[in-house]
């Protein structure tokens, strides 16, 4: 169940699957034909919900027909800001870095999965973390390459 760094023999990209995922026949996260495309252009978004008094950071593909922002809009969320990045990996890196900083500063998850299906863990109390602060954090984010780890082919 421990992920390890591997290079896919199909696409040549590096990922960190578990042995169980490989044994189950799953493709690497870049070759997968479903879900968020980590190799394609993407965006980091800030959305707000006035009734809940909540703000959320999230990622979405830049070219998806099944747009997550439209899904959230149907639940009362409003797009405040979006920042386009070259790849889904870049978007996830920005999002996760900001989430780590906010959690370290004591900001807990604000909404429940019932209030915010598909993304409640990225929600914050808008009176403590504003949409403008999230936007500014996204704009200021600097991508730092991760240190290399041992590489295994699969």
């Amino acid at each position: 169940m421990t992920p390890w760094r591997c290079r896919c023999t199909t696409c040549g990209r590096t990922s960190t699957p578990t042995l169980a995922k490989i044994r189950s026949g799953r493709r690497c996260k870049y070759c997968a034909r479903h879900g968020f495309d980590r190799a394609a252009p993407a965006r980091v978004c800030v959305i707000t919900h006035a009734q809940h008094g909540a703000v959320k950071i999230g990622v979405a593909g830049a070219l998806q027909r099944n747009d997550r922002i439209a899904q959230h809009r149907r639940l009362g969320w409003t797009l405040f800001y979006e920042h386009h990045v070259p790849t889904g990996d870049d978007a996830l890196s920005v999002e996760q870095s900001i989430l780590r900083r906010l959690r370290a500063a004591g900001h807990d998850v604000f909404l429940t999965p019932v209030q915010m299906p598909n993304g409640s863990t990225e929600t914050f109390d808008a009176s403590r973390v504003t949409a403008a602060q999230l936007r500014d954090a996204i704009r200021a984010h600097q991508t730092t390459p991760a240190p290399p780890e041992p590489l295994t082919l699969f």
Side-chain angles (χ1 to χ4, degrees):
M1 297 310 292
T2 303
W4 77 91
R5 192 167 180 240
C6 302
R7 179 175 298 131
C8 176
T9 57
T10 303
C11 71
R13 290 190 176 98
T14 302
S15 62
T16 53
T18 63
L19 181 58
K21 286 182 181 178
I22 294 171
R23 284 186 175 160
S24 72
R26 282 197 177 169
R27 301 182 78 155
C28 86
K29 64 187 176 186
Y30 299 104
C31 293
R33 301 262 190 267
H34 61 281
F36 183 65
D37 187 345
R38 296 174 68 132
R43 55 202 161 138
V44 184
C45 303
V46 176
I47 59 177
T48 62
H49 197 291
Q51 285 180 308
H52 290 315
V55 64
K56 177 186 179 338
I57 186 171
V59 298
L63 308 174
Q64 289 179 332
R65 283 185 295 223
N66 183 14
D67 187 4
R68 289 192 71 183
I69 302 304
Q71 293 170 359
H72 293 318
R73 192 173 288 123
R74 288 190 290 273
L75 297 173
W77 291 85
T78 303
L79 179 64
F80 177 81
Y81 176 73
E82 66 181 357
H83 180 79
H84 289 261
V85 292
T87 69
D89 271 345
D90 295 328
L92 288 167
S93 173
V94 171
E95 177 196 52
Q96 292 304 306
S97 174
I98 292 169
L99 288 172
R100 276 192 302 275
R101 286 190 349 232
L102 288 168
R103 299 288 179 240
H107 298 285
D108 294 324
V109 172
F110 185 60
L111 298 180
T112 68
V114 171
Q115 294 169 306
M116 177 59 189
N118 198 3
S120 63
T121 60
E122 296 97 20
T123 61
F124 298 93
D125 180 344
S127 69
R128 297 188 65 216
V129 178
T130 68
Q133 287 171 321
L134 285 178
R135 178 202 58 213
D136 294 345
I138 292 167
R139 288 177 176 169
H141 185 270
Q142 296 292 322
T143 305
T144 307
E149 299 176 27
L151 187 63
T152 305
L153 296 177
F154 71 92

